[in-house]
């Protein structure tokens, strides 16, 4: 296709009656991918491109047999839902690997994303350019008009541009997906299949300067019991105001510098509620705009070297402090003073991502009710973070890359009261290299490999904490290849891995790979790692049929085998799984997964104790969902399992989304669980038997009941003005019984105490063993209700400038009466004590020429 230069740009009104469009060359040759791949589209679509010195304009007419067939439901920004839509994808570097996509629905909602690799369904929605679109319904169908500023695109500094191009019209009422260039169903690819857009001449990448200042304020109100009652902090104010902003500066034609000062994230949605009984932390999705935009520039093959939620996270030693003091008041997150990042792609094919951030010190106010003493404890010191990622394209979607990360903390003696910050590393560095190659005809094979290392240093207290952490458990008494060194002031390790797979093919796909992580590998200061000390190998084989038949539109059967050992040669787990997935003629889809795990030896069940045998068992997962094109969307999932150790149970989940009107969308995502986990770790106590190295490793069976409902209600006044509600009432309980202690290392046998030897009183569990020896541990039973909710009014009153009005609730209550699976359980969460936060944020996008 060819774009035509115009002196007078079209007016963005969705009419296409400007003189500019009379000069344009429209194309109509779209082809079906669904339902009948390769046949001409059943509805006519006309698309053309014009441009001036500032922007590329897209004009499109989507014809329809009936206006009633055009789905015009409104959606949230960056969500297309089931609305009919037009998508324009541009490979502005013409590298056959990456692409920008701009979508507009028949209701006028804009959606955009970035394809970081050559795959149609690999989409990064953190890409957030400022562009405009207008749509209009006509008697023949609907019309779309798009304006994409060149300042929001990245391309070579050449007089004449040649860009990859694809067009996509999705017609949900017909389950029809039409493309200008169809990527066949059995092929993994996207930009490498694009056609070409020519004719763009005499434009240059903008030397951009964009300012986004903001002003914000919030007011917090406690409901129910005042948590500060009886403390010296009772009279503290609960309101705050902030100013800050972001700057986006173009450095040359291909690089962009983003900087933020005192960023505000008050409009960000709350994380889901979770009760975690494991030894490992929960990992949540990043939602903060500064870190999500361009996140693909900091992603490498292998371990997660950069987990952006480490920056400005909740102080990691807060839980330790709360276990020691009567009252602790601490910030939910470390203060992020500022951050900057440099991203872009050079004409040579070198992609660059560099990020730096600084957080201030975090302190907690503490109070002892018995002694009436108050104090202040340091939790996090002044900290600097740095991340650099480079990736060079080799052609044909093959790349090589390297990454460096660093963390430095100002952990120095202050002489001003207690500080737990000495338990954190002073420096932490990682370095890694990786490569991905697409091989064979059409790039149907993918070879990936990576290697990396880490080095952490600090006080002896900090290094001992890392050695004893759940990531490595150096203190395990029945192994000899690592030992806790209380004098160590540094810790180093390495990782490596490789895989070869067939990613495209008519029927057969396969994968083989493996990786290693040495015991000393540590990246959790700015990355994410649950366990080191791993050697793993996996094999996978898939058979699929993507051609529709009389009974199925397609099906896939996958077999997988994964084995894991530690560096002592102990097999920690084996997983054998099989998944069968089908798509029915009505576009419903379903899958069934069966997994078998044989017995193995775990080095984490005793949380630093000896090896313990795991039992064999099976689990089954079933999922079913209706057609993506349906206005009322639903899905169902069910999982059940049974293991010889006594673990058994089920979970049920699903989602129902309805659109009663064009402007109102409602959804509920309920979940219910009822299961027993056995054995579940309770405590480690001194005075054990020689068979367990003088320690007692106490376990029990815990009956878990959990109920939640994630509720959403979105009302759209216009595509740029919406009222969005998210609420999650949550109820969870755990009742422990069948207590016992590990009989011997490498066994799963427990020496049971018996019900008559277990008593509970005031949160304490008193246990008596077979020899009549009594000891106490904390009572692990729990019964929790919580509510997290956000009500956000979002108004993009001009391109890139937004007003947010926010009401957040955070309620929680522990050891409440009643059963989780009662009808009133979720309702009780609405009356639990907690806090209300009311906030306003106004940000103004100011492009400077």
């Amino acid at each position: 296709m060819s774009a035509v230069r115009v002196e007078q740009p079209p007016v963005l009104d969705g009419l296409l009656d400007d003189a500019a469009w009379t000069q344009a060359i429209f194309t109509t040759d779209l082809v079906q991918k669904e339902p009948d791949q390769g046949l001409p589209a059943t509805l006519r679509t006309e698309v053309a491109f014009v441009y001036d010195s500032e922007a590329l304009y897209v004009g499109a007419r989507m014809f329809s047999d009936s206006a009633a067939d055009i789905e015009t439901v409104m959606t949230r920004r960056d969500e297309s839902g089931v609305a009919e839509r037009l998508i324009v994808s541009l490979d502005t570097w013409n590298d056959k690997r990456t692409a920008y996509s701009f979508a507009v629905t028949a209701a006028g909602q804009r959606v955009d994303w970035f394809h970081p690799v050559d795959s149609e369904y690999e989409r990064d929605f953190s890409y957030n350019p400022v562009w405009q679109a207008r749509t209009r319904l006509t008697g023949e169908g609907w019309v779309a008009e798009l304006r994409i500023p060149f300042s929001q695109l990245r391309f070579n500094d050449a007089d004449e541009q040649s860009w990859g191009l694809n067009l996509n019209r999705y017609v949900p009422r017909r389950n029809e997906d039409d493309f200008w260039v169809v990527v066949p169903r059995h092929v993994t690819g996207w930009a490498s299949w694009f056609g070409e857009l020519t004719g763009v001449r005499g434009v240059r990448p903008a030397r951009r300067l964009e300012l986004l200042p903001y002003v914000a304020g919030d007011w917090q109100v406690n409901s129910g019991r005042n948590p500060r009652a009886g403390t010296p902090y009772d009279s503290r104010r609960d309101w705050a105001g902030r100013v800050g902003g972001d700057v986006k500066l173009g450095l040359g034609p291909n690089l962009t510098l983003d900087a933020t000062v005192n960023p505000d994230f008050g409009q960000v949605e709350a994380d889901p509620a979770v009760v975690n009984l494991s030894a490992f932390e929960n990992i949540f999705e990043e939602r903060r705009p500064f870190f999500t935009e361009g996140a693909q520039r900091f992603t490498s093959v292998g371990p997660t070297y950069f987990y952006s939620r480490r920056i400005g996270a909740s102080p990691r030693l807060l839980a330790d402090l709360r276990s020691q003091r009567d009252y602790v008041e601490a910030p939910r997150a470390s203060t992020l003073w500022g951050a900057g990042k440099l991203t872009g792609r050079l004409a040579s094919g070198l992609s660059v991502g560099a990020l730096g951030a600084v957080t201030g010190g975090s302190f907690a106010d503490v109070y002892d009710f018995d002694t009436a003493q108050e104090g202040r404890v340091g939790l996090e010191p002044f900290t600097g973070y740095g991340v650099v990622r480079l990736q060079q394209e080799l052609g044909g979607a093959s790349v090589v890359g390297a990454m460096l990360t660093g963390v430095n903390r100002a952990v120095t003696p202050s002489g001003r009261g207690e500080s737990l910050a000495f338990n954190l590393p002073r420096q932490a560095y990682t370095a890694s290299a990786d490569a991905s190659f697409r091989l064979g005809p059409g790039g149907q094979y993918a070879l990936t490999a990576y290697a990396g290392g880490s080095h952490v240093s600090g006080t002896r207290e900090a290094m001992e904490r890392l050695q004893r952490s759940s990531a490595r458990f150096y203190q395990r008494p029945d192994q000899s290849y690592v030992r806790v060194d209380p004098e160590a002031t540094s810790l180093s390790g390495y990782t490596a891995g490789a895989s070869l797979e067939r990613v495209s093919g008519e029927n057969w796909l396969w994968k083989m790979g493996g990786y290693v992580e040495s015991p000393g590998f540590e990246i959790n200061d700015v990355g994410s790692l649950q366990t080191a000390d791993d050697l793993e190998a996996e094999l996978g084989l898939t058979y699929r049929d993507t051609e529709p038949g009389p009974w199925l539109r397609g099906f896939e059967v996958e077999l997988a085998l994964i084995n894991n050992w530690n560096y002592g040669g102990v097999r920690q787990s084996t997983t054998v799984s099989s998944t069968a997935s089908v798509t029915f003629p009505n576009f419903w889809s379903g899958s069934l997964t069966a997994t078998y795990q044989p017995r193995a030896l775990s080095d984490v069940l005793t949380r630093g104790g000896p090896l313990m045998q795991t039992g064999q068992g099976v689990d089954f997962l079933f999922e079913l969902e209706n057609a993506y094109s349906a206005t009322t969307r639903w899905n169902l999932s069910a999982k059940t399992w049974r293991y010889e150790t006594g673990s058994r149970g089920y979970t049920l989940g699903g989602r129902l989304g309805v659109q009663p009107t064009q402007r109102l969308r409602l959804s509920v995502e309920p979940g219910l669980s009822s299961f027993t986990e056995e054995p579940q770790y309770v405590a480690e106590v001194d005075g054990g038997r020689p068979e367990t190295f003088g320690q007692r490793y106490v376990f029990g069976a815990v009956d878990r009941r959990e109920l939640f409902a994630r509720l959403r209600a979105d009302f759209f006044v216009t595509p740029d003005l919406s009222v969005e509600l998210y609420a999650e009432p949550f109820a969870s309980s755990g009742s422990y019984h069948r207590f016992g202690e590990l009989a011997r290392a490498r066994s799963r046998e427990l020496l049971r105490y018996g019900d008559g030897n277990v008593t509970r009183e005031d949160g304490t569990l008193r246990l008596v063993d077979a020899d009549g020896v009594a000891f106490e541990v904390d009572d692990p039973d729990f019964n929790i209700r919580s509510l997290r909710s956000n009500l956000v009014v979002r108004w993009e009153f001009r391109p890139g400038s937004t007003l947010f009005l926010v009401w957040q609730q955070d309620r929680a209550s522990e050891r409440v009466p009643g059963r989780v699976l009662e009808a009133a359980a979720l309702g009780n969460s609405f009356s639990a004590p907690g806090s209300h936060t009311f906030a306003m944020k106004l940000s103004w996008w100011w492009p400077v020429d």
Side-chain angles (χ1 to χ4, degrees):
M1 291 185 64
S2 181
V4 176
R5 185 168 191 132
V6 294
E7 296 302 321
Q8 183 65 37
V11 176
L12 211 66
D13 54 12
L15 289 176
L16 301 190
D17 57 355
D18 307 272
W21 295 116
T22 64
Q23 306 173 46
I25 304 170
F26 285 82
T27 187
T28 61
D29 51 345
L30 268 64
V31 178
Q32 294 183 53
K33 182 171 184 175
E34 300 289 353
D36 300 310
Q37 182 171 289
L39 295 184
T42 62
L43 298 173
R44 182 179 175 88
T45 302
E46 300 177 351
V47 183
F49 294 84
V50 299
Y51 69 99
D52 62 8
S53 60
E54 295 184 353
L56 179 71
Y57 296 83
V58 185
R61 301 183 183 96
M62 278 62 65
F63 294 88
S64 183
D65 292 340
S66 168
D69 288 341
I70 304 173
E71 196 62 78
T72 58
V73 294
M74 287 190 175
T75 58
R76 303 170 76 189
R77 177 73 167 91
D78 271 350
E79 289 185 7
S80 53
V82 297
E84 185 170 327
R85 55 192 174 272
L86 174 74
I87 305 172
V88 178
S89 291
L90 299 169
D91 175 8
T92 54
W93 290 107
N94 209 10
D95 59 10
K96 312 297 184 184
R97 181 174 176 271
T98 62
Y100 302 101
S101 287
F102 301 84
V104 61
T105 72
Q109 186 57 274
R110 289 162 293 143
V111 188
D112 41 62
W113 61 86
F114 178 71
H115 293 268
V117 296
D118 184 30
S119 176
E120 182 176 350
Y121 303 108
E122 289 283 341
R123 301 176 178 182
D124 179 2
F125 286 91
S126 69
Y127 175 58
N128 193 29
V130 179
W131 60 288
Q132 296 167 273
R134 293 290 181 270
T135 60
R136 190 179 297 266
L137 297 177
T138 68
E140 297 177 311
W142 61 288
V143 176
E145 205 167 10
L146 288 65
R147 181 182 186 272
I148 305 172
F150 290 125
S151 66
Q152 304 301 301
L153 299 172
R154 306 293 178 263
F155 49 90
N156 292 315
D157 189 9
D159 182 67
E160 182 172 357
Q161 300 292 324
S162 176
W163 295 349
L165 171 68
N166 209 348
L167 306 171
N168 175 205
R169 179 185 177 185
Y170 180 61
V171 187
R173 291 290 179 94
R174 298 184 176 217
N175 285 307
E176 185 170 334
D177 219 1
D178 301 329
F179 291 81
W180 191 50
V181 180
V182 172
V183 179
R185 299 188 191 104
H186 68 276
V187 170
T188 298
W190 184 235
S192 61
W193 285 73
F194 280 14
E196 188 177 23
L197 177 66
T198 61
V200 179
R201 300 181 180 88
V203 299
R204 293 290 185 269
R207 274 65 174 174
R208 306 161 303 280
L209 175 58
E210 300 173 8
L211 306 178
L212 191 67
Y214 83 85
V215 58
D218 62 64
W219 175 43
Q220 188 176 93
V221 180
N222 290 314
S223 62
R225 183 183 64 84
N226 180 5
R228 294 176 179 153
T231 73
Y233 318 116
D234 194 19
S235 60
R236 283 184 172 173
R237 62 183 175 90
D238 288 307
W239 57 270
R242 296 173 301 284
V243 294
D246 300 340
V247 178
K248 191 183 294 286
L249 174 64
L251 301 179
N254 302 319
L255 297 176
T256 301
L257 175 66
D258 294 274
T260 184
V261 178
N262 193 27
D264 176 77
F265 305 116
Q267 75 279 10
V268 174
E269 190 174 281
D271 292 320
V274 175
V275 173
N276 183 0
L277 300 185
S278 76
F280 309 105
E281 67 174 330
N282 292 311
I283 300 299
F284 294 109
E285 179 184 359
E286 177 64 88
R287 294 187 174 92
R288 298 173 295 177
F290 176 81
F291 293 105
T292 58
E293 184 177 1
Q296 76 281 350
R297 300 289 187 193
F298 302 94
T299 302
S300 63
V301 179
T304 305
Y305 289 100
F306 179 47
Y307 174 46
S308 58
R309 291 193 59 152
R310 296 287 186 216
I311 302 175
S314 174
R316 64 176 64 191
L317 301 178
L318 183 56
D320 295 343
L321 182 62
R322 283 178 170 160
S323 67
Q324 303 167 9
R325 303 300 174 90
D326 293 339
Y327 174 82
V328 176
E329 181 167 327
R332 292 188 177 184
S334 303
T335 302
L336 178 55
W337 286 0
K341 61 183 177 182
L342 179 69
T343 58
R345 178 189 180 279
L346 305 181
S348 62
L350 178 67
S351 295
V352 177
L355 182 145
V358 175
T359 59
S362 295
F363 299 88
D365 292 317
V366 298
Y367 184 71
D368 190 312
F369 285 103
D370 293 332
T371 63
Q373 289 184 343
E374 61 179 294
R376 204 171 201 214
V377 178
L379 292 175
E380 291 272 353
F382 177 89
T383 306
Y385 299 85
V387 181
V388 177
R389 167 73 175 165
L390 302 175
Q391 183 171 275
Q392 177 64 53
E393 297 169 8
L394 303 178
S398 297
V399 296
V400 295
M403 191 167 185
L404 299 172
T405 73
V407 177
N408 274 272
R409 295 185 175 93
V411 183
T412 56
S414 63
R416 295 182 296 175
E418 182 182 356
S419 176
L420 298 182
F422 286 101
N423 290 327
L424 296 174
R426 184 178 289 114
Q427 294 98 18
Y429 303 106
T430 70
S432 64
D434 56 83
S436 298
F437 301 100
R438 292 292 289 271
L439 310 171
Q444 63 178 302
Y445 299 98
L447 172 65
T448 61
Y450 66 87
S454 66
H455 179 75
V456 184
S457 63
T459 64
R460 290 190 296 269
E461 294 86 352
M463 293 304 101
E464 183 169 349
R465 176 177 169 272
L466 288 181
Q467 293 175 78
R468 294 180 177 275
S469 72
S470 59
R472 48 194 54 82
F473 288 138
Y474 276 14
Q475 68 272 32
R476 299 193 310 272
D478 58 343
Q479 51 81 29
S480 58
Y481 59 96
V482 289
R483 279 284 183 265
V484 174
D485 180 1
E487 300 301 316
T489 56
S490 65
L491 183 70
S492 299
Y494 64 88
T495 184
S499 68
L500 177 64
E501 58 184 315
R502 189 186 189 198
V503 296
S504 295
E506 289 282 353
N507 299 117
W508 291 100
L509 306 176
W510 47 263
K511 179 180 181 179
M512 62 180 67
Y515 74 85
V516 298
E517 287 172 349
S518 74
F521 188 61
E522 170 60 28
I523 60 175
N524 280 317
D525 288 278
V526 72
S528 174
L529 175 73
Q530 284 201 332
T531 62
D533 192 8
D534 285 313
L535 298 96
E536 187 164 294
E538 65 172 315
L539 295 171
L541 181 65
T542 300
Y543 180 83
R544 67 178 183 180
D545 189 344
T546 60
E547 293 300 321
W551 302 104
L552 297 173
R553 291 199 58 80
F555 70 89
E556 181 175 294
V557 178
E558 178 183 1
L559 297 174
L561 170 65
I562 301 176
N563 274 295
N564 182 277
W565 301 264
N566 65 20
Y567 268 58
V570 174
R571 183 174 58 83
Q572 302 177 100
S573 67
T574 295
T575 301
V576 183
S577 64
S578 176
T579 300
S581 306
V582 298
T583 302
F584 299 99
N586 61 355
F587 288 88
W588 287 22
S589 60
S591 67
L592 177 64
T593 300
T595 302
Y596 168 68
Q597 290 188 318
R599 295 170 182 167
L601 292 172
S602 170
D603 60 8
V604 299
L605 271 180
T606 56
R607 304 194 184 184
L611 293 169
M612 184 174 180
Q613 189 184 70
T614 60
Q616 65 179 343
V618 296
D619 65 62
F620 298 92
L621 173 64
F622 172 74
E623 297 175 302
L624 180 68
E625 65 178 340
N626 69 334
Y628 184 76
S629 59
T631 304
T632 298
R633 291 294 315 281
W634 57 262
N635 63 60
L636 299 171
S637 65
K639 183 177 181 179
T640 184
W641 64 94
R642 179 175 291 273
Y643 283 76
E644 63 180 338
T645 56
S647 290
R648 62 192 181 280
Y650 65 88
T651 64
L652 301 174
R655 185 181 184 276
L656 175 65
V658 298
Q659 197 113 16
T661 71
Q662 302 283 1
R663 300 179 183 274
L664 177 64
R665 186 174 63 174
L666 306 173
S667 69
V668 58
E669 185 179 344
L672 180 152
S673 302
S674 179
F675 56 93
T676 298
E677 290 180 301
E678 186 176 12
Q680 173 62 48
Y681 178 85
V682 174
E684 177 185 350
V685 182
D686 294 336
R689 304 162 65 245
E691 291 86 346
T692 54
F693 303 91
Q695 295 293 105
R696 300 179 190 269
Y697 298 95
V698 182
F699 291 85
V702 55
D703 294 332
R704 295 283 305 275
R705 305 291 183 269
E706 202 159 277
L707 185 65
F708 69 84
R710 297 182 183 126
L711 310 171
R712 293 186 186 273
D714 301 325
F715 180 73
F716 309 97
V717 182
T718 70
D720 298 316
L721 175 59
S722 62
V723 181
E724 303 169 9
L725 171 66
Y726 169 83
E728 185 191 11
F730 176 85
S732 180
S733 70
S735 177
Y736 285 74
H737 58 102
R738 287 174 53 81
F739 293 97
E741 63 184 77
L742 182 64
R744 66 189 65 85
R746 307 176 76 93
S747 165
R748 69 173 188 273
E749 179 188 353
L750 297 180
L751 301 176
R752 303 288 182 181
Y753 300 138
D755 294 340
N757 293 321
V758 178
T759 56
R760 287 182 163 94
E761 184 176 356
D762 296 330
T764 299
L765 196 67
R766 187 174 187 272
L767 304 169
V768 181
D769 67 11
D771 297 326
V773 179
F775 58 95
E776 294 181 347
V777 298
D778 291 335
D779 188 347
D781 281 7
F782 61 90
N783 198 7
I784 297 172
R785 306 290 184 272
S786 79
L787 173 69
R788 296 181 178 184
S789 70
N790 265 23
L791 177 65
V792 180
V793 178
R794 181 187 184 277
W795 179 29
E796 189 173 348
F797 55 90
R798 61 189 298 272
S801 301
T802 310
L803 172 67
F804 295 95
L805 300 175
V806 183
W807 171 31
Q808 294 179 331
Q809 286 192 84
D810 191 354
R811 298 171 175 267
S813 182
E814 298 183 13
R815 299 187 181 275
V816 296
R819 297 174 60 249
V820 166
L821 300 185
E822 293 176 340
L826 293 185
N828 292 339
S829 64
F830 287 85
S831 59
S835 63
H836 301 258
T837 301
F838 302 91
M840 182 195 75
K841 178 180 178 181
L842 176 64
S843 59
W844 191 281
W845 183 66
W846 184 16
V848 180
D849 295 332

